[in-house]
Amino acid sequence: MEKLLIHAWVVHKQNGKYFLPYTHWIYLQQIVKYYSHICLISPVKKIADGGDDKLFSLEEFTNLSVYELPNSNYSYAGAIKHIGSYYNAYKRLHKHFDKVYVRYPVPFGWLSKLFFKDADRTIHFVGYPLEVTKLNPELSTFKKNLLLFLFRPEHSLYVWACKGAKVFTNGHHIKENLCKQGVNATAVISSTLVESDFYFDEYKQIDTANVKLLHIGYLRKWKNIDVIIKAFKLLLADKPGATLTIVGEGECKEQLKSLAVQLQIADKVDFKPHASRRDELTGYLRTHDIFCFSSISEGSPRVILEAMANGINVLSSRVGSLPFIFTHKVDIAFADNNEQDFYNKLIKITADAGLMASIRANAFDKAQQFTIAAFIRTIFNQVPVAEEQPVYEI
């Protein structure tokens, strides 16, 4: 079996032991099956004694090692001063590994081409910071241009590194952006779904007069969550018994809370902390009626698949890979990214119980095609297992 070097994630460390958040840990659980040895080249963040139930231990992966890099607190700007550490890591490790997998936009992943040259390299674009920066409404034109100017050299080096590598993107629009830059990429649908994640209550009765709306995710500006809150305000005029639950943390949380107060609906909007455990996440999804998603920039949002796998209706902006995979009023409901259209769509779908039942059933069936096992095999070019459904390529 081959040996794989992964440059992808920040690793947490406590008392000499390493940990990852569930989303990354579950990927690793699949990847380790295919290689004799895997090394994570990762910034390491030390955590205080007492443990963290949001993190999962790497101890069970006996064929895994970690090459520690300095922690830069998830900041590209903070990583620049450590570029020598990244260079030395690649220089030291490249002779001992057959393949390398890099997740853009981790800092300096383009070094993989410098040392692995024409060896088996994979670059996986899981986001696109240039687009996020351009669309961020909180940034002034000057600050946007400055940030874009400072990041473009890094991005250009990644584009250079794509030559001779297998390139994957989370979402079709990232693939299209790279195509314009001369990069041939395959768009895939990112998934963390395992068998135990799937649940469908075929007898679920939705009380549309008291409909329960839900949003789960990072509370960041480009997620546009204020659109959901404002649409909910409009909905309350028709359905005063409706509720909205917002689960997650982020820099916009206090601003969103203030918006709910300003709109005089704070008693109807329940803010919950980040759902760190899988049972918490599925608990929310299985006890609400409509999952609302209003982001303006995404690749292939995993949370949409997680919602569908748990049998909840989804109302979303047309973002990332979603319009290429799902069809309006068949397995999803799409809305323009403004509060008026979100409100209009909420009124329309809650007025038709048969439509809601059909959409969520179709979505559940579609979600079963997107398992983490199939996704990992696609990225790492492994032979498909017969009973697994393939990942869609778009």
Side-chain angles (χ1 to χ4, degrees):
M1 295 178 73
E2 295 176 305
K3 296 179 181 180
L4 174 69
L5 183 67
I6 296 179
H7 183 183
W9 307 300
V10 173
V11 171
H12 300 254
K13 186 177 184 180
Q14 181 187 56
N15 298 327
K17 297 179 180 178
Y18 297 109
F19 301 83
L20 282 174
Y22 175 82
T23 302
H24 302 155
W25 179 89
I26 194 68
Y27 283 140
L28 201 54
Q29 187 186 55
Q30 294 292 323
I31 297 169
V32 295
K33 299 176 182 177
Y34 301 116
Y35 298 95
S36 61
H37 183 71
I38 291 175
C39 178
L40 303 182
I41 173 173
S42 299
V44 171
K45 182 178 182 179
K46 293 183 179 179
I47 54 177
D49 293 342
D52 188 336
D53 62 2
K54 301 176 184 177
L55 300 173
F56 290 73
S57 174
L58 303 186
E59 275 195 296
E60 70 177 73
F61 306 134
T62 57
N63 58 335
L64 178 76
S65 62
V66 177
Y67 185 98
E68 296 190 16
L69 293 170
N71 179 37
S72 54
N73 293 318
Y74 303 97
S75 165
Y76 173 72
I80 291 175
K81 62 184 176 183
H82 301 302
I83 188 171
S85 298
Y86 286 76
Y87 180 91
N88 290 333
Y90 272 102
K91 183 178 180 181
R92 178 177 177 180
L93 295 172
H94 78 279
K95 295 178 181 178
H96 305 290
F97 292 87
D98 306 293
K99 296 183 176 183
V100 59
Y101 167 76
V102 176
R103 282 168 70 93
Y104 173 97
V106 295
F108 320 124
W110 46 267
L111 285 167
S112 59
K113 180 172 175 63
L114 195 62
F115 287 96
F116 281 83
K117 300 187 185 300
D118 296 323
D120 195 334
R121 296 182 296 112
T122 299
I123 300 179
H124 184 184
F125 283 70
V126 299
Y128 205 72
L130 296 176
E131 179 184 61
V132 172
T133 302
K134 289 177 183 177
L135 295 175
N136 191 334
E138 285 204 330
L139 297 177
S140 67
T141 301
F142 173 78
K143 191 167 185 180
K144 284 182 183 181
N145 289 334
L146 178 62
L147 291 173
L148 291 170
F149 174 77
L150 293 174
F151 187 72
R152 282 193 188 280
E154 175 78 359
H155 177 78
S156 297
L157 285 166
Y158 258 104
V159 171
W160 165 75
C162 287
K163 293 177 173 58
K166 293 192 292 288
V167 182
F168 296 93
T169 65
N170 282 5
H172 193 271
H173 70 296
I174 300 178
K175 173 183 176 177
E176 290 179 338
N177 279 325
L178 290 176
C179 183
K180 295 173 185 176
Q181 299 165 69
V183 175
N184 183 28
T186 299
V188 294
I189 305 303
S190 176
S191 174
T192 58
L193 293 174
V194 296
E195 185 177 353
S196 60
D197 289 324
F198 290 92
Y199 172 83
F200 189 81
D201 180 1
E202 59 182 309
Y203 302 108
K204 182 175 183 176
Q205 298 294 319
I206 297 174
D207 181 359
T208 56
N210 301 293
V211 65
K212 294 180 285 187
L213 308 184
L214 175 67
H215 174 81
I216 298 175
Y218 292 113
L219 308 185
R220 293 171 175 162
K221 189 64 181 178
W222 68 84
K223 299 292 186 179
N224 241 20
I225 303 162
D226 57 315
V227 165
I228 297 172
I229 295 175
K230 291 174 182 176
F232 177 63
K233 165 69 173 178
L234 298 175
L235 183 68
L236 285 173
D238 301 276
K239 301 178 183 293
T243 60
L244 170 61
T245 302
I246 297 176
V247 181
E249 302 291 341
E251 63 269 18
C252 290
K253 187 166 190 175
E254 293 307 314
Q255 181 182 338
L256 294 171
K257 284 184 174 181
S258 296
L259 176 61
V261 171
Q262 177 187 335
L263 296 175
Q264 300 182 331
I265 58 172
D267 60 324
K268 290 287 191 175
V269 183
D270 190 7
F271 286 87
K272 299 289 189 182
H274 170 67
S276 58
R277 300 194 311 272
R278 204 65 174 173
D279 60 338
E280 288 181 301
L281 176 69
T282 56
Y284 287 122
L285 293 170
R286 295 173 188 181
T287 55
H288 287 76
D289 303 317
I290 301 176
F291 184 86
C292 298
F293 194 73
S294 53
S295 181
I296 60 176
S297 179
E298 296 287 338
S300 56
R302 290 186 302 264
V303 70
I304 297 296
L305 288 177
E306 290 165 347
M308 292 176 170
N310 283 277
I312 182 174
N313 283 275
V314 173
L315 173 62
S316 175
S317 55
R318 294 176 177 85
V319 67
S321 62
L322 299 182
F324 297 91
I325 299 300
F326 302 106
T327 303
H328 179 54
K329 295 176 71 172
V330 174
D331 42 29
I332 198 170
F334 283 127
D336 295 337
N337 215 330
N338 61 74
E339 58 265 30
Q340 187 62 52
D341 201 47
F342 260 78
Y343 160 72
N344 291 341
K345 295 299 171 30
L346 284 169
I347 289 295
K348 287 181 180 179
I349 61 177
T350 55
D352 190 338
L355 177 63
M356 289 187 74
S358 173
I359 288 175
R360 75 185 192 92
N362 291 336
F364 179 79
D365 290 342
K366 177 69 73 70
Q368 292 180 74
Q369 300 177 21
F370 301 104
T371 64
I372 187 171
F375 172 67
I376 292 298
R377 285 198 308 271
T378 297
I379 296 294
F380 292 94
N381 197 29
Q382 301 299 328
V383 178
V385 179
E387 64 269 20
E388 290 282 357
Q389 293 287 341
V391 156
Y392 270 38
E393 293 189 4
I394 57 178

